[in-house]
Amino acid sequence: MKKKFFANIFSLFLLAPFLLSFVGCANESSSDNILRVYNWEDYICNEDSEEDGYVDLIAKFENEYKQKTGKNVTVEYSTFGTNENMYNELKIGGAEYDLVCPSDYMIMKMISEDMVEPFTDEFIQNSNYAEYASPYIKDLFELNGWTKYAVAYMWGTMGYVYNPNIVDKEDLQSWGGIWNKKYSNLTTIKDSVRDSYFLGVAYEYMEELKALAEQYNVTSLDDENYSKYNALVTEIMNRTDEETLEAVKNDLIDLKQYLYGFEVDSGKQDMITGKIAINFAWSGDAVFAMDEAEPIYDEDTGKLIEKGVYLNYIVPEECSNIWFDGWVMPKGANVELAQEFIDFLSSPENAMTNMNYIGYTSAIAGDAVFEGMSSEDWYSEGEEGDLDENGNPLVPYNLNYFFNGTSDGKYKDGEYFIWVSQESRDRQIAAQYPSEEIIARSAIMQHFDDNTNAAVNEMWEEVKGLPIPIWAYIVIAVIAGGILLIVLTYIYKGRHSEPKPKKGYKILKKGA
């Protein structure tokens, strides 16, 4: 038995190089079918729920890729919290990803530093993205020089989500509405230097922005003055000269006295629970907060199941930020596999699933997306001529600027209207798809060079620095005074007191 055992071991030893070679080949083959994706947290539908209409898109892609190619693919999906964290990991940490999803200004930075692979001409011209991405979005990417290196994923505006039972809508017609003791301890803004800097600039130059709006009076993207007006707004909102930095710093420091705090992700939940009444929010977070805060009624009986509140969303009249998150392929990426994944996400059906789950607005249009938007489960409240629950006529909400040119034949350009109540124009539909008037006065944040970034970050550190209250100075002074007294007493005793004799002895005076 022992001879047979050792003989088998010896045989395996001889075969080891061949086995290791086989394993190596298997691993190498497997690695060709791994897609490494780096995305924002909670930014893709990865849950199955037939009742809610959720589909795990990552699992669906893996299955469809197998059916299409006969090959297995594994998506290694990980998340990041900020653009800067993602950038640093790629730049310094040497992390390897096939797809990452930065925001507009970070896309510009990565392109300028030659950090990304170009998309193929075939993808740019013949993919689902080419067919179904909104022409408005594609035109913006073309205008900014991103088309070859980035694909839009989600987009939206910045505004205020607020509780109309506590907050006067008129106060929030201007960005300056939160610089108001009336709303002390009821407001949060972003713990994000770029977003809150944008807020500070909008406040600092609100009179100049209002004057421009009155001068040009642009309400449509087809207006002949749109390009000129929007370029002027964009210039103002990207000012970073020393005077602007100092003014914005002082404005934001002044604002702190009225804030509940700074946040990145907790603001929407604080709105839902009623902890705050105003949140400086990305439009997608605003949609989520409005959805989750609404009262819940039994569909059959109409009985109230859970109390809630109807929150609203508003973009102040001076301007807003049109933001984008987009897919880019870092240097060394598996271009073919990365493009397959984007193509999969860019089908209207999958884009609709994604929107339904995360609350943000996809750059993809098409019939499936419009039908979802215009269903009564989403935003449509009827048809032309119908009345709302208060007996008032429904009003049209124009989505042609976004959907024109993306139909498979069911709709014609010019037919993309949703009929809603007047009240609904202040709620989810306005956050999901801003009107052309809002878009006309919205700017894209530009990429800052390293020196400007350093100056803006330094400004932000001063804004975030916690001021020491007067009572703290008093306590510090008392403690310091006490310590000083103890030290002086110790020194005095050390110089003038005599040493104590050992027990049982006494000190003899001189001359005794």
Side-chain angles (χ1 to χ4, degrees):
M1 289 293 293
K2 286 185 178 180
K3 288 183 180 180
K4 186 175 181 181
F5 173 79
F6 284 114
N8 288 337
I9 290 294
F10 183 70
S11 299
L12 287 173
F13 179 80
L14 293 175
L15 289 172
F18 300 99
L19 293 172
L20 289 173
S21 175
F22 177 78
V23 170
C25 290
N27 285 337
E28 184 178 350
S29 175
S30 176
S31 67
D32 289 339
N33 294 314
I34 294 176
L35 177 67
R36 300 172 178 87
V37 180
Y38 202 26
N39 197 5
W40 295 89
E41 297 173 0
D42 302 319
Y43 218 34
I44 195 170
C45 185
N46 56 358
E47 178 183 333
D48 281 314
S49 173
E50 187 174 344
E51 179 181 356
D52 296 319
Y54 300 154
V55 176
D56 185 337
L57 291 178
I58 294 175
K60 183 180 179 182
F61 170 73
E62 292 173 341
N63 291 333
E64 289 192 3
Y65 185 84
K66 172 71 173 179
Q67 295 173 8
K68 179 180 177 180
T69 66
K71 300 177 181 178
N72 292 314
V73 63
T74 299
V75 178
E76 291 185 354
Y77 189 85
S78 53
T79 62
F80 57 86
T82 69
N83 281 295
E84 286 69 28
N85 288 346
M86 177 275 300
Y87 171 83
N88 289 335
E89 185 168 350
L90 289 176
K91 196 76 173 180
I92 302 172
E96 295 182 359
Y97 295 101
D98 301 301
L99 273 179
V100 297
C101 189
S103 301
D104 34 45
Y105 71 93
M106 188 56 72
I107 289 174
M108 297 182 216
K109 181 177 179 66
M110 293 176 71
I111 292 174
S112 70
E113 295 181 4
D114 194 28
M115 291 178 64
V116 295
E117 297 281 0
F119 286 88
T120 64
D121 291 339
E122 175 66 19
F123 177 87
I124 293 172
Q125 297 168 10
N126 298 312
S127 61
N128 279 330
Y129 182 79
E131 183 173 359
Y132 294 114
S134 168
Y136 163 70
I137 300 294
K138 289 193 291 187
D139 287 347
L140 272 182
F141 269 56
E142 184 69 31
L143 180 66
N144 283 277
W146 303 342
T147 300
K148 190 175 180 180
Y149 297 99
V151 166
Y153 182 50
M154 300 289 165
W155 73 288
T157 57
M158 294 292 293
Y160 291 132
V161 57
Y162 67 98
N163 184 337
N165 297 324
I166 300 174
V167 179
D168 187 343
K169 177 183 176 181
E170 290 303 312
D171 290 337
L172 299 187
Q173 295 287 355
S174 169
W175 285 113
I178 62 173
W179 272 262
N180 190 338
K181 65 180 181 180
K182 182 178 177 180
Y183 302 120
S184 290
N185 213 37
L186 291 174
T187 304
T188 54
I189 67 171
K190 289 286 170 277
D191 192 2
S192 162
V193 57
R194 291 302 300 262
D195 294 299
S196 289
Y197 180 72
F198 193 95
L199 171 64
V201 173
Y203 175 72
E204 177 62 26
Y205 293 108
M206 59 184 178
E207 296 304 324
E208 185 176 348
L209 289 162
K210 287 178 183 178
L212 276 178
E214 291 177 6
Q215 176 184 349
Y216 286 93
N217 192 30
V218 175
T219 60
S220 167
L221 301 182
D222 295 327
D223 192 298
E224 62 180 0
N225 291 319
Y226 162 66
S227 295
K228 184 175 182 180
Y229 169 62
N230 189 262
L232 291 170
V233 173
T234 300
E235 182 276 321
I236 293 172
M237 296 311 301
N238 284 280
R239 287 177 181 171
T240 55
D241 55 274
E242 289 185 12
E243 184 179 346
T244 298
L245 282 169
E246 184 66 19
V248 169
K249 179 189 74 174
N250 293 331
D251 290 336
L252 293 176
I253 289 174
D254 181 46
L255 175 61
K256 285 175 63 177
Q257 64 184 306
Y258 307 121
L259 294 180
Y260 177 81
F262 298 86
E263 59 81 31
V264 173
D265 194 51
S266 61
K268 54 182 180 286
Q269 196 61 41
D270 289 341
M271 287 297 303
I272 295 166
T273 61
K275 187 178 292 185
I276 59 174
I278 306 172
N279 178 227
F280 175 49
W282 297 296
S283 51
D285 279 358
V287 171
F288 178 88
M290 287 185 281
D291 285 345
E292 294 298 313
E294 290 182 358
I296 299 176
Y297 295 90
D298 186 281
E299 293 184 1
D300 297 324
T301 65
K303 183 179 179 180
L304 180 66
I305 299 174
E306 186 176 326
K307 291 182 179 180
V309 62
Y310 289 100
L311 303 175
N312 286 355
Y313 179 75
I314 188 171
V315 173
E317 62 186 2
E318 295 95 352
C319 65
S320 185
N321 167 32
I322 286 285
W323 57 264
F324 298 91
D325 294 326
W327 296 110
V328 298
M329 302 180 294
K331 285 290 185 180
N334 185 329
V335 171
E336 181 180 354
L337 198 54
Q339 291 182 162
E340 284 280 353
F341 188 68
I342 297 173
D343 193 60
F344 166 82
L345 293 177
S346 297
S347 77
E349 178 185 359
N350 292 332
M352 191 64 196
T353 297
N354 232 356
M355 290 172 62
N356 186 30
Y357 183 78
I358 68 176
Y360 280 76
T361 307
S362 173
I364 301 301
D367 293 346
V369 176
F370 180 70
E371 288 182 349
M373 293 297 101
S374 57
S375 70
E376 292 187 2
D377 290 337
W378 279 64
Y379 299 130
S380 178
E381 298 175 54
E383 299 177 355
E384 184 177 5
D386 289 345
L387 304 178
D388 64 21
E389 58 184 16
N390 296 319
N392 299 314
L394 296 180
V395 295
Y397 198 85
N398 188 350
L399 296 177
N400 282 292
Y401 79 89
F402 190 83
F403 287 92
N404 275 351
T406 64
S407 176
D408 285 326
K410 187 170 184 177
Y411 300 94
K412 295 180 181 178
D413 288 357
E415 295 181 348
Y416 296 105
F417 284 93
I418 295 176
W419 292 87
V420 299
S421 64
Q422 187 64 48
E423 291 79 7
S424 294
R425 294 173 66 92
D426 292 333
R427 306 199 70 244
Q428 285 95 327
I429 184 64
Q432 198 92 59
Y433 293 99
S435 67
E436 289 186 70
E437 183 179 0
I438 289 174
I439 289 175
R441 64 177 190 262
S442 297
I444 295 176
M445 284 194 293
Q446 301 297 308
H447 159 54
F448 296 159
D449 60 33
D450 290 342
N451 290 334
T452 303
N453 262 330
V456 172
N457 287 331
E458 183 179 348
M459 177 278 303
W460 183 241
E461 288 176 6
E462 291 188 56
V463 170
K464 290 293 298 296
L466 298 176
I468 300 176
I470 295 176
W471 63 263
Y473 282 110
I474 296 173
V475 171
I476 292 171
V478 170
I479 294 174
I483 293 173
L484 181 61
L485 182 61
I486 293 171
V487 171
L488 290 175
T489 301
Y490 177 80
I491 293 173
Y492 178 82
K493 286 184 176 181
R495 288 179 178 177
H496 300 282
S497 63
E498 296 176 338
K500 292 182 179 180
K502 293 182 180 179
K503 190 173 181 181
Y505 293 81
K506 67 178 179 180
I507 296 177
L508 294 175
K509 293 183 179 180
K510 291 182 180 178

